[in-house]
């Protein structure tokens, strides 16, 4: 069902509105038709990702000198929503490459690293991944137990990283490991690890509830040796790089969640106008209208918060609280809308003839990764209290 | 090698996927708050010009749109697809639906006088009025050869070899330059704008003028009396044999 959502261009600058329309067209024509199969057969959407690379969507914020689009985070937020509206799996592949892989490199990479690890990872043929969480710690990122030992001419990595998106398809990984345990989180450093590398092995692909076309796995490091020039940034800078990366990544994930929410709403609206009960389309009934209104309100509240966070970042201001708000609001809106969409569809919402059940399964992860909703609340409250304290 | 210059028309129309609603005054359809896009056949026109530029047959593409302020967005899309600059012939908001093919053809004729392109490419028809007239009228005014409903366009030595989709099948013609072409759906597959091109499009120039600046009178020659929804399809009748069918047809005055 096409969405004739006509957005006023006073809300978005002209070029970003054009970008939005372009991504919307791409999602309608290239992603919507494959999303069902990507989910059902857990297939990586390689062709779509390659086309997105050609358009510049896989390296949106990378500077033009490196071959990126040189765009800001408002553009990124808008593009993420439209792509994810077509296919949430494709959205996560795009978001991990843009925010989590390219993010740290653009933040802390030297010229040689930018040329080797950024420039070739913009075309959709090569993607990267981000390794922070471990089997033993997720939210408690400071407790990373993966180690990196200085062996003179090489770094030696030992440990395991969990829940790595693009684990199988990626050819490079940003890995956070402890270089000085005594300094606790200030002893964590960031590394670029090429894949494949001897000593690096992949665990089995996780069998997930949703975003099934994206591979997720454990990555094991067993005396894994990497070159000295693979250190990213300064020693001990890793935790800071990770946190700053996640700050910005939240805007992308919020975009993804909004895409899923919007797709759910459209599914519910279309169905309610066609389904008849008690001699009228159910869209005329109050209980259904209440649900649609609530969905629309929450989507717009989250969307505007995300655009606000993105604009703050683009203008060089502190945006940590706003990005956390956007991610929290958007993810809870995605699960809400997907849930209500199934309710509007009734029995049809429970079978895979309609995409509502896929949106429900896809939405769930957005409340968990890149900072759980619980962590987002801590971040928001922490910043709020600082702002409002006398 | 690249020496030709192309003028391409692109019209802002209601998006093809929108459910059209007739206005309460029955003089048109609802356009307020409704999604608009570039006319699909015009996308084919722009795409063809861009491909000719990539093949180094064309060196400059000028995208033209006649319409209200928002037609600028349509031109920006054309620029993002690869056109070099734009011309916006602006008419007051609400009057665009009275801009009829003859007026548009006259505007384009004046622009041709001004810009001196070698080729003009238009979409074969706009999906709002389905006129399929502007190309033919323009060719007539200019006394240029025309290749309408083009599904293949090839350039060689100052001529264009065009395959036209006609009722009987496909017709191959050859036209001398300068010429006017109208693009059909199967001419090409329009590209998605790339992000770098969207960024570049911001800096490309769009010249603005009014029909009056060109000395063109756009007063409509046709007046819309009424716009109505198509009749709701009524159920049919099944008859047992041809004799009964003939009787029924005679009864209802159809024969």
């Amino acid at each position: 069902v096409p969405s004739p959502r006509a957005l006023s261009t006073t809300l978005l600058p002209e070029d970003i509105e054009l970008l939005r329309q372009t991504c919307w067209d791409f999602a309608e024509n290239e992603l919507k038709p494959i999303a069902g199969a990507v989910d059902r057969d857990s297939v990586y959407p390689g062709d779509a990702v390659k086309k997105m690379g050609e358009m510049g969507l896989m390296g949106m914020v990378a500077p033009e000198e490196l071959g990126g689009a040189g765009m800001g985070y408002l553009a990124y937020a808008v593009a993420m929503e439209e792509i994810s509206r077509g296919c949430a799996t494709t959205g996560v592949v795009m978001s991990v490459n843009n925010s989590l892989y390219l993010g740290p490199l653009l933040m802390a990479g030297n010229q040689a690293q930018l040329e080797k690890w950024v420039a070739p990872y913009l075309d959709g043929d090569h993607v990267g991944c981000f390794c922070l969480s471990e089997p033993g710690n997720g939210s408690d990122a400071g407790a990373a137990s993966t180690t990196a030992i200085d062996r003179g001419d090489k770094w030696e990595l030992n440990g395991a990283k969990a829940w790595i998106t693009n684990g199988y398809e990626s050819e490079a990984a940003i890995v956070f490991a402890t270089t000085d345990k005594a300094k606790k989180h200030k002893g964590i450093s960031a590394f670029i690890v090429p894949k494949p590398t001897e000593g690096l092995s992949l665990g089995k692909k996780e069998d997930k509830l949703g975003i099934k076309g994206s591979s997720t796995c454990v990555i094991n490091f067993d005396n894994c040796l990497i070159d000295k020039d693979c250190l990213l940034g300064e020693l001990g800078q890793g935790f800071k790089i990770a946190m700053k990366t996640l700050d910005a990544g939240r805007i992308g994930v919020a975009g993804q969640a909004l895409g899923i929410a919007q797709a759910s709403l459209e599914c519910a609206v279309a169905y309610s106008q066609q389904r008849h009960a008690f001699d009228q389309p159910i869209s005329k009934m109050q209980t259904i209208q209440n649900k649609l209104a609530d969905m629309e309100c929450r989507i717009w509240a989250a969307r505007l918060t995300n655009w606000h966070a993105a604009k703050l970042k683009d203008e060089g201001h502190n945006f940590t609280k706003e990005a956390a708000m956007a991610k929290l609001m958007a993810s809870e809106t995605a699960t809400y809308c997907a849930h209500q969409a199934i309710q509007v569809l009734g029995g049809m919402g429970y079978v895979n003839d309609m995409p509502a059940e896929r949106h429900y399964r896809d939405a769930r992860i957005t409340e968990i990764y890149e900072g759980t909703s619980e962590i987002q609340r801590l971040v928001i409250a922490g910043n709020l209290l600082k702002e409002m304290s006398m | 090698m690249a020496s030709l210059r192309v003028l391409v028309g692109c019209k802002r129309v209601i998006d093809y996927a929108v459910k059209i609603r007739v206005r309460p005054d029955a003089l048109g359809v609802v356009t307020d708050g409704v999604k608009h896009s570039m006319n699909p056949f015009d996308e084919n026109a722009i795409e063809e010009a861009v491909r000719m530029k990539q093949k180094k047959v064309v060196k400059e593409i000028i995208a033209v749109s006649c319409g209200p302020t928002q037609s600028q967005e349509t031109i920006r899309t054309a620029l993002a697809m690869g056109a070099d600059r734009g011309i916006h012939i602006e008419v007051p908001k609400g009057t665009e639906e009275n801009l009829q093919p003859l007026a548009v053809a006259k505007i384009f004729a004046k622009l041709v006088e001004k810009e001196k392109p070698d080729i003009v490419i238009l979409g074969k028809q706009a999906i709002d009025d389905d006129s399929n007239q502007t190309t033919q009228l323009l060719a007539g005014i200019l006394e240029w050869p025309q290749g309408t409903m083009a599904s293949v366009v090839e350039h060689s030595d100052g001529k264009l070899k065009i395959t036209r989709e006609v009722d009987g099948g496909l017709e191959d013609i050859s036209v001398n330059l300068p010429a006017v072409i109208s693009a059909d759906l199967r001419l090409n597959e329009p590209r998605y704008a790339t992000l770098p091109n969207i960024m570049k499009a911001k800096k490309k120039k769009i010249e603005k003028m009014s029909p009056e600046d060109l000395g063109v009178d756009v007063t409509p020659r046709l007046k819309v009396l009424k716009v109505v929804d198509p009749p709701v399809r009524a159920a049919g009748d099944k008859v047992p044999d041809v004799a009964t069918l003939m009787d029924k047809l005679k009864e209802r005055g159809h024969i």
Side-chain angles (χ1 to χ4, degrees), chain B residues 158-171:
Chain B
K159 285 187 203 279
L160 292 178
K161 287 222 295 267
I162 299 173
T163 301
R164 303 180 56 227
E165 293 199 348
V166 297
D167 286 341
L170 299 172
E171 181 189 59

Side-chain angles (χ1 to χ4, degrees), chain A residues 2-6 9 14-15 18-19 21-22 24-26 29-30 54-57 60 69-71, chain B residues 15-18 33-37 43 72-73 76-77 80 189 192-196 198-199 201-202:
Chain A
S3 161
R5 170 165 60 106
T9 45
E14 203 188 317
D15 56 330
L18 177 53
L19 169 67
Q21 293 284 351
T22 303
W24 189 95
D25 283 334
F26 183 84
N29 299 324
E30 313 284 338
E54 282 160 19
M55 287 166 73
L57 289 169
M60 286 189 74
M71 298 191 115
Chain B
D15 187 83
Y16 77 91
V18 166
V34 167
K35 179 171 177 177
H36 284 65
S37 314
E43 287 180 352
Q72 256 204 144
E73 290 159 30
R76 205 62 76 181
T77 306
E189 175 112 26
Y192 295 106
T194 63
L195 271 54
I198 290 175
M199 299 282 278
K202 261 202 291 196

Side-chain angles (χ1 to χ4, degrees), chain A residues 188-208:
Chain A
I188 297 175
S189 307
F191 297 89
I192 308 164
V193 181
K195 288 172 77 247
T197 288
E198 193 160 333
L200 184 157
S201 62
L202 303 178
K204 69 160 176 48
K205 275 192 207 178
E206 305 288 355
D207 185 2
K208 304 193 299 284

Side-chain angles (χ1 to χ4, degrees), chain A residues 201-281:
Chain A
S201 62
L202 303 178
K204 69 160 176 48
K205 275 192 207 178
E206 305 288 355
D207 185 2
K208 304 193 299 284
L209 178 66
I211 54 166
K212 286 162 86 108
S214 129
S215 67
T216 306
C217 64
V218 165
I219 298 187
N220 296 297
F221 300 93
D222 216 331
N223 301 336
C224 175
L225 295 170
I226 56 174
D227 292 334
K228 268 316 189 58
D229 62 8
C230 285
L231 173 67
L232 178 62
E234 313 269 317
L235 274 176
Q237 206 189 3
F239 188 79
K240 206 158 155 212
I241 293 174
M243 292 303 110
K244 274 188 82 180
T245 298
L246 291 172
D247 262 356
R250 277 156 200 174
I251 294 173
V253 174
Q256 181 196 29
L258 286 166
I260 298 169
Q262 184 67 24
S264 303
L265 174 60
E266 289 170 16
C267 181
V269 167
Y271 187 82
S272 67
Q273 290 178 316
Q274 288 165 6
R275 175 70 177 179
H276 286 243
F278 305 101
D279 289 324
Q280 55 180 338

Side-chain angles (χ1 to χ4, degrees), chain B residues 61-80:
Chain B
I61 304 169
I62 306 163
V64 178
S65 190
C66 307
T69 315
Q70 296 104 311
S71 290
Q72 256 204 144
E73 290 159 30
T74 309
I75 299 176
R76 205 62 76 181
T77 306
L79 296 174

Side-chain angles (χ1 to χ4, degrees), chain A residues 35-280:
Chain A
V38 162
D39 171 69
R40 196 178 46 239
D41 305 325
S42 300
V43 175
Y44 177 75
D47 286 342
V49 169
K50 174 107 183 83
K51 284 188 191 159
M52 286 161 59
E54 282 160 19
M55 287 166 73
L57 289 169
M58 293 303 285
M60 286 189 74
V61 301
E64 290 177 67
E65 310 87 72
L66 291 170
M71 298 191 115
Y73 269 77
L74 182 57
Y76 177 53
V78 163
M80 273 299 306
E81 180 182 337
E82 297 304 336
I83 294 297
S84 304
R85 178 187 158 277
C87 173
T89 287
T90 308
V92 78
V93 172
M94 175 177 164
S95 113
V96 165
N97 201 59
N98 271 283
S99 306
L100 301 187
Y101 173 70
L102 295 176
L105 286 163
L106 293 172
M107 210 182 287
N110 58 42
Q111 191 57 33
Q113 289 168 332
L114 293 177
E115 281 166 23
K116 187 167 183 194
W117 300 109
V118 171
Y121 286 76
L122 307 173
D123 64 358
D125 253 343
H126 306 281
V127 296
C129 66
F130 177 88
C131 305
L132 178 64
S133 292
E134 298 178 350
N137 60 272
S139 296
D140 190 6
S145 66
T146 300
T147 55
I149 300 172
D150 189 338
R151 291 293 186 208
D153 59 335
K154 299 264 186 193
W155 288 102
E156 183 185 289
L157 269 56
N158 278 288
K161 291 292 184 183
W163 311 123
I164 310 307
T165 303
N166 292 347
Y168 271 67
E169 294 78 16
S170 54
E171 293 173 64
I174 307 292
V175 181
F176 297 88
T178 300
T179 38
D180 189 339
K181 196 153 179 188
K183 295 201 176 128
K184 305 231 180 119
H185 69 269
K186 292 206 176 137
I188 297 175
S189 307
F191 297 89
I192 308 164
V193 181
K195 288 172 77 247
T197 288
E198 193 160 333
L200 184 157
S201 62
L202 303 178
K204 69 160 176 48
K205 275 192 207 178
E206 305 288 355
D207 185 2
K208 304 193 299 284
L209 178 66
I211 54 166
K212 286 162 86 108
S214 129
S215 67
T216 306
C217 64
V218 165
I219 298 187
N220 296 297
F221 300 93
D222 216 331
N223 301 336
C224 175
L225 295 170
I226 56 174
D227 292 334
K228 268 316 189 58
D229 62 8
C230 285
L231 173 67
L232 178 62
E234 313 269 317
L235 274 176
Q237 206 189 3
F239 188 79
K240 206 158 155 212
I241 293 174
M243 292 303 110
K244 274 188 82 180
T245 298
L246 291 172
D247 262 356
R250 277 156 200 174
I251 294 173
V253 174
Q256 181 196 29
L258 286 166
I260 298 169
Q262 184 67 24
S264 303
L265 174 60
E266 289 170 16
C267 181
V269 167
Y271 187 82
S272 67
Q273 290 178 316
Q274 288 165 6
R275 175 70 177 179
H276 286 243
F278 305 101
D279 289 324
Q280 55 180 338

